[in-house]
Amino acid sequence: MSTPTRLAITDPLLQPFQLAHLTLRNRIMSTSHAIGFGEDGMPTGRYQRYHEAKAAGGIGLTMFGGSTNVSRDSANTFGQLSASDDRIIPYFQEFAGRVHKHGAALMCQLTHLGGRSQWRGDNWLPTISPSRFREPLHRGFTKEMQVEDIVRVVSDFGQAARRCYEGGLDGCELHIAGHLIGQFWSPTTNQRTDDFGGSLENRARFGLMVLEEIRRLVPQSFVVGVRMVVGEGDSGTMPDEEYLAMAKILECSGLIDFFNFTYGRIDTEVGLARYMPGMSLGLAPQLRPVTNFRRNVSLPVFHAARINDMATARYAVSEGHVDLIGMTRAHIADPNIVRKLSEGVEETIRPCVGATYCSWHGSCIHNPAIGREDVLPHMIEKTDAPKKVTVVGAGPGGLEAARIAAERGNTVTLFEAASRAGGQLLLAAKLDMRRDLIGIIDWRVSELERLGVTVHYNAFAEAQEIADTKPDTVIIATGGVPDRMQDIPGAELGTPLWEVLEARSPPDGDVIFYDGTGTTAGLNGAHTLATAGASLTYVTPDNTAGAEVSYIERPLQMRAFYKSGASLHPDLTLRRVARAENRLRLSFENSYSGETIEMSCDTLIYEHGTLPVDELYLELVGAARNCGLPDLTAWTSAQPQPKSDGEGFDLYRLGDATSSRDIHAAILDAARLCTRL
């Protein structure tokens, strides 16, 4: 890392912190999460490189292994690691070496999922819990634990912690909320009448036995903590005062070194969406209850829940609300946060916009290098042979192509037909719960200004304007226009969602919204229009609304949908639209029965993806040295495209200018092409 600036030296986020016997170089951390990069339950190279990038970027502590299983009957159901045998120790050792060489600390989260598991998991074993119950989210009935099961699982926790220690890790944390230890805590999931049920002390017994066994097997210098909630919120089953009492029991035991506090519940779809908040909720939605709770404990406190921006993180630490602030998804967007803070260039930090793309697809919506560290670098290197690069289109893909090409040292010219950058994303940001997407554009526009890229707005580029730039490489990122469903008779009587959003006012009368894609645009579009006053019926050929929306976003979007008064009709494919007097008559086919369903409305609005704006690309293909096609082997490995013979330019197109996809796909296209351009 570079020499810190004077401002960075006084930044509260960059001050060291003594955690038990471990000195952390700053107050910024990444909390444990299940990113899904492991192989056969092991943190192999891809998993390690993902966390190593954060360590190289200056983070103080990176925690990994969200829901790492300690027992064979805690199943791998969402890409967790398994620390249930010694096979993991060499992986831990390699992992620790990678992270420690950059000066960061490394810890693993350990757990037994109990009833949060699923019997159809990797080992097909019955799930266990204090008492028989069925978690709504994971849907498996459990077996009530016998005392022998309790003894076995306690031993499994201890052995897993030993493996962490022998693997060279700095510590571990136990996940309590909603997992097996938390199921013992809760009077709802613990109906036992023996020494492990009933009173608060009895319900705490299992967790204390686990901690005692861990402390018996690891030295005192090995840091041990717990991740627990300070309350469950609405519809909670365990009172807040009992969580405080449990925290007091843990603190007085002398068995733990820190608390990692969160808020909410994870056993329902809506609960999990609030527990892992995306852009549908405000920044730092859990900080206030955590702050109120921490006044009652004296051990160090960590917290992470949509702490995306530096101002909020700095406030939380400087005001003593927390000792370490978790910026987990912020580091997925930009693993170099601490380095940039230290160098006094905070404004260049790529923002987390809260799209929850990482939870669904294991990559950031606008940082394609995450999880692809072996192919795409987080830091762009300068080229030894600068070129002239012309980009047409200032949507996400075009902006990213221009940004990376300029970072490489190339001379970049960008043409945009509209008066401002953004493309389709400007419309997406008009949707309820999606407004923060604009940060994807704002950051790139700022970066292009910093890099001195020449941008021509209100410029409908044609072949001659491009030729005048004397380019070596031309990149077409002109995006798409709404697919108007021309294969459906009468579809021209409908209106694409895109045009309705541009009109800025909901249509009058009865509206049928036909979502032919199942993406977030359709579901968000429907409840945005209904909330604005449209009398709306949502119809989709899928078996549910928002079939492609992430499990973090969809529950809150569905809640907004139902609150808007819209009605839902799944499993119906639009076959025909006709005018009947002053209304539209729509014919649908049931996807399962084949039955024809007739509906009528005043206005049909639809979302059906896009068609490429490719006229300019097709016009230029004949003049391009490479016929406008990339070498796919080089493209997917982000290697330089083969050199083309002859005079002229190489031609490429990105994102929706090729086919209807999403923001991440467009930005990934740009990164793969331009990282070594």
Side-chain angles (χ1 to χ4, degrees), residues 488-491 493-494 574-579 584-587 604:
I488 298 176
L493 298 172
L574 181 62
R575 294 304 187 198
R576 182 178 298 275
V577 182
R579 192 175 296 281
L584 299 180
R585 188 161 188 83
L586 281 60
S587 298
L604 167 64

Side-chain angles (χ1 to χ4, degrees), residues 63-375:
M63 303 178 90
F64 71 97
S67 302
T68 295
N69 294 310
V70 302
S71 303
R72 294 192 181 278
D73 51 3
S74 180
N76 185 338
T77 56
F78 45 88
Q80 309 103 284
L81 303 180
S82 174
S84 61
D85 60 56
D86 286 356
R87 185 167 59 102
I88 202 169
I89 294 176
Y91 292 97
F92 279 166
Q93 291 170 339
E94 181 184 15
F95 200 167
R98 283 180 182 267
V99 170
H100 287 158
K101 73 180 181 181
H102 297 290
L106 183 67
M107 297 187 193
C108 182
Q109 183 183 93
L110 301 176
T111 197
H112 192 298
L113 294 169
R116 188 168 170 75
S117 189
Q118 235 291 344
W119 57 268
R120 293 188 184 91
D122 50 352
N123 292 312
W124 283 68
L125 292 172
T127 53
I128 59 174
S129 60
S131 303
R132 184 180 182 274
F133 84 105
R134 181 179 186 256
E135 189 203 64
L137 199 59
H138 285 79
R139 307 173 65 83
F141 286 103
T142 64
K143 163 201 159 185
E144 181 173 311
M145 295 174 71
Q146 299 165 233
V147 173
E148 291 79 7
D149 289 317
I150 291 174
V151 172
R152 170 181 58 83
V153 174
V154 166
S155 175
D156 288 346
F157 268 104
Q159 292 300 319
R162 172 188 62 79
R163 293 175 187 118
C164 291
Y165 169 70
E166 292 182 5
L169 307 186
D170 299 292
C172 68
E173 74 170 3
L174 306 184
H175 193 298
I176 291 178
H179 292 207
L180 185 58
I181 296 176
Q183 291 159 25
F184 270 94
W185 282 14
S186 171
T188 300
T189 52
N190 184 352
Q191 299 289 319
R192 301 176 72 98
T193 58
D194 60 4
D195 291 345
F196 295 93
S199 69
L200 195 75
E201 291 74 19
N202 281 359
R203 286 183 275 136
R205 191 181 309 278
F206 173 72
L208 290 173
M209 289 172 61
V210 166
L211 287 166
E212 288 167 354
E213 180 69 2
I214 289 173
R215 284 301 187 192
R216 188 179 71 83
L217 294 175
V218 300
Q220 194 64 33
S221 59
F222 187 76
V223 177
V224 178
V226 297
R227 182 168 183 164
M228 60 173 283
V229 299
V230 300
E232 298 178 12
D234 296 340
S235 304
T237 59
M238 180 167 160
D240 291 1
E241 55 268 23
E242 289 199 353
Y243 279 109
L244 179 57
M246 287 294 190
K248 288 287 190 180
I249 289 173
L250 290 174
E251 188 167 73
C252 292
S253 73
L255 297 171
I256 64 171
D257 299 307
F258 67 85
F259 289 108
N260 188 353
F261 285 144
T262 54
Y263 181 79
R265 55 188 299 185
I266 60 175
D267 58 338
T268 66
E269 287 188 351
V270 171
L272 185 62
R274 295 183 66 86
Y275 181 83
M276 300 173 60
M279 73 174 74
S280 57
L281 298 174
L283 294 175
Q286 301 175 16
L287 185 58
R288 179 171 294 177
V290 166
T291 296
N292 293 336
F293 195 95
R294 86 146 304 165
R295 298 189 181 108
N296 300 287
V297 298
S298 57
L299 286 174
V301 167
F302 308 166
H303 173 61
R306 202 159 189 244
I307 311 292
N308 293 355
D309 65 301
M310 305 317 302
T312 303
R314 193 172 285 117
Y315 164 78
V317 171
S318 64
E319 296 298 317
H321 299 303
V322 299
D323 296 292
L324 262 66
I325 193 69
M327 303 191 73
T328 308
R329 282 180 280 183
H331 272 80
I332 294 176
D334 193 338
N336 289 292
I337 287 174
V338 175
R339 180 188 64 79
K340 292 178 178 180
L341 282 180
S342 299
E343 294 177 357
V345 289
E346 180 177 332
E347 70 279 1
T348 68
I349 294 172
R350 182 192 284 108
C352 171
V353 298
T356 70
Y357 202 91
C358 51
S359 302
W360 193 234
H361 299 288
S363 190
C364 175
I365 193 170
H366 73 134
N367 180 7
I370 285 295
R372 300 184 180 95
E373 283 81 4
D374 59 336
V375 173

Side-chain angles (χ1 to χ4, degrees), residues 509-675:
D510 296 328
V511 176
I512 289 180
F513 184 95
Y514 182 67
D515 182 4
T517 64
T519 65
T520 191
L523 179 54
N524 267 126
H527 68 68
T528 297
L529 295 175
T531 301
S535 176
L536 188 138
T537 299
Y538 176 102
V539 184
T540 176
D542 297 321
N543 62 6
T544 186
E548 293 188 16
V549 182
S550 86
Y551 67 92
I552 298 298
E553 289 183 278
R554 187 177 178 277
L556 298 183
Q557 290 183 14
M558 286 303 298
R559 185 174 67 174
F561 175 89
Y562 285 119
K563 285 186 175 182
S564 74
S567 61
L568 170 61
H569 293 265
D571 304 325
L572 297 178
T573 300
L574 181 62
R575 294 304 187 198
R576 182 178 298 275
V577 182
R579 192 175 296 281
E581 296 181 353
N582 293 324
R583 288 170 65 84
L584 299 180
R585 188 161 188 83
L586 281 60
S587 298
F588 297 94
E589 180 183 330
N590 185 284
S591 304
Y592 296 99
S593 69
E595 178 186 4
T596 297
I597 307 294
E598 302 285 344
M599 297 185 189
S600 63
C601 63
D602 296 299
T603 304
L604 167 64
I605 301 172
Y606 59 85
E607 167 60 25
H608 205 258
T610 62
L611 297 176
V613 176
D614 56 5
E615 293 86 353
L616 178 61
Y617 167 81
L618 294 175
E619 182 181 351
L620 295 174
V621 163
R625 293 178 299 199
N626 65 340
C627 300
L629 294 173
D631 179 279
L632 294 183
T633 300
W635 184 280
T636 55
S637 59
Q639 293 301 310
Q641 290 289 310
K643 291 184 178 180
S644 303
D645 295 329
E647 298 295 324
F649 56 84
D650 291 323
L651 175 68
Y652 306 96
R653 56 176 169 168
L654 311 174
D656 283 7
T658 305
S659 64
S660 182
R661 290 177 288 164
D662 67 6
I663 295 168
H664 179 80
I667 291 174
L668 175 60
D669 280 354
R672 283 172 162 173
L673 173 63
C674 298
T675 291

